[in-house]
Amino acid sequence: MEANKIMNADILDIVFEGRNKEYGAYELRKTYNKRLLFALVGMVLLCVLIFVGYFVSNVIAASSAKDLVVQDVQLEEVKQEEKKEPTPPPPPKPPDPPKVEMTKFTPPKIVKDEEVKPEEKPPEKEKLENTKIGTVNQEGVKDEGIVAPPASDEGKGVVEAPKKEEEDWDKTFTKVEIESEYPGGAAAWQRYLLKTLRYPQEAQDNEIQGTVVVQFIVDKGGNVSDVEAIAGPKDLRDEAVRVIKKSGQWTPAVQNGRQVKSYKKQPIVFKLETEG
């Protein structure tokens, strides 16, 4: 290379002076800065595109989000008709006691023999052994110590009221005067649901909602057992059962002023709402 061109020549031209510039290494080194600039600009554009896409997807998801609405409903108490026990028929009238043979006996009078009538003569001693003594003659069975039954209410239509059996306080009652409830009442139960209930994601995706009725037993100490869902969408039952099992001790039911073991049916409402 001529001396007057060295000062103005590029470093690559000086390095590759007298070498084969068509081989490729010269072209690669000469365009290196331009290719590096293109790569950096492309990377920045790709990052910006990813960020914008993520932001847009969040905005769309937020606009179509569904809120979980927890409601509590009270099942109407089913009034059972009281069965009236039929009045038992009066007991049969006992048979009349058999008539006892009776011999007439009149107080003796002092009269002449010719004035005594035959029917007024005292009975013979042998006849009095097995007969009752009365004021008239009466045919009947021999007196063998038969005693008339004592006076009673039988046959007079008097029926003794059946004795009421005592309540079996160890049984599980299905109907009570005061039902068991969550401690603190409906307001506390609503707060517990809002804090604990988790709407199953699969049910949300399929827009499944409804009321699940959970039946369980609350014993005298308020402990919960035998929890099972007896009604409602199947995809929501497991969550309703989980919430009841985790609810802790309840206030026991009351029957005749005593705390008893009883069944409890608790509805749990799952509802989805779309923001308008």
Side-chain angles (χ1 to χ4, degrees), residues 171-184:
K171 72 177 183 179
T172 303
F173 286 76
T174 57
K175 184 175 179 61
V176 292
E177 295 173 353
I178 302 176
E179 288 193 359
S180 57
E181 65 173 1
Y182 187 78

Side-chain angles (χ1 to χ4, degrees), residues 8-275:
N8 298 325
D10 188 88
I11 186 66
L12 287 176
D13 293 333
I14 297 175
V15 172
F16 281 88
E17 177 66 23
R19 298 181 181 180
N20 185 8
K21 295 182 179 181
E22 301 297 333
Y23 182 71
Y26 174 79
E27 187 65 24
L28 288 175
R29 292 189 179 186
K30 188 174 183 180
T31 60
Y32 173 76
N33 292 333
K34 184 184 295 185
R35 288 185 288 106
L36 181 61
L37 179 61
F38 285 162
L40 291 175
V41 172
M43 181 61 68
V44 171
L45 290 176
L46 180 61
C47 292
V48 171
L49 183 62
I50 292 174
F51 177 77
V52 171
Y54 177 76
F55 177 76
V56 172
S57 63
N58 286 343
V59 171
I60 295 175
S63 62
S64 60
K66 300 179 179 65
D67 293 336
L68 171 63
V69 179
V70 179
Q71 295 181 350
D72 190 17
V73 297
Q74 185 68 32
L75 292 180
E76 294 184 0
E77 181 179 359
V78 179
K79 295 184 178 180
Q80 299 180 354
E81 296 183 358
E82 295 183 358
K83 296 182 178 179
K84 296 182 178 180
E85 297 183 358
T87 303
K93 185 178 180 180
D96 295 333
K99 291 183 178 181
V100 180
E101 182 179 352
M102 188 178 298
T103 302
K104 181 179 178 181
F105 181 82
T106 57
K109 296 180 182 179
I110 301 174
V111 294
K112 295 180 180 181
D113 291 341
E114 61 271 10
E115 295 179 0
V116 178
K117 299 178 181 179
E119 62 272 10
E120 293 180 352
K121 291 183 178 182
E124 298 178 359
K125 182 180 179 181
E126 292 79 6
K127 192 173 182 180
L128 293 176
E129 291 181 356
N130 295 323
T131 60
K132 289 278 187 183
I133 297 175
T135 57
V136 295
N137 290 322
Q138 176 180 289
E139 297 294 331
V141 298
K142 297 294 184 181
D143 180 20
E144 298 178 352
I146 299 176
V147 181
S152 66
D153 292 331
E154 292 184 359
K156 297 181 181 180
V158 179
V159 180
E160 183 180 359
K163 296 181 180 179
K164 185 177 181 181
E165 296 182 359
E166 296 183 358
E167 294 279 4
D168 184 5
W169 297 108
D170 293 331
K171 72 177 183 179
T172 303
F173 286 76
T174 57
K175 184 175 179 61
V176 292
E177 295 173 353
I178 302 176
E179 288 193 359
S180 57
E181 65 173 1
Y182 187 78
W189 173 248
Q190 190 75 7
R191 290 193 298 270
Y192 170 73
L193 287 180
L194 290 172
K195 179 181 178 181
T196 310
L197 190 66
R198 295 196 298 266
Y199 211 118
Q201 186 61 45
E202 185 177 354
Q204 290 189 54
D205 297 339
N206 296 325
E207 297 185 354
I208 298 175
Q209 53 186 347
T211 302
V212 178
V213 179
V214 183
Q215 176 178 277
F216 51 98
I217 293 176
V218 180
D219 64 14
K220 299 177 184 179
N223 301 308
V224 173
S225 62
D226 297 347
V227 184
E228 62 174 340
I230 60 175
K234 293 183 178 180
D235 293 342
L236 303 174
R237 293 189 179 188
D238 290 343
E239 176 61 16
V241 170
R242 184 191 70 84
V243 168
I244 295 296
K245 287 183 176 180
K246 196 178 178 181
S247 59
Q249 288 188 324
W250 288 54
T251 302
V254 176
Q255 178 71 13
N256 292 336
R258 300 179 64 176
Q259 292 183 344
V260 295
K261 182 179 180 182
S262 67
Y263 284 99
K264 175 72 174 179
K265 291 182 181 179
Q266 182 66 41
I268 299 178
V269 178
F270 291 82
K271 186 176 181 181
L272 292 170
E273 269 193 9
T274 305
E275 291 184 356

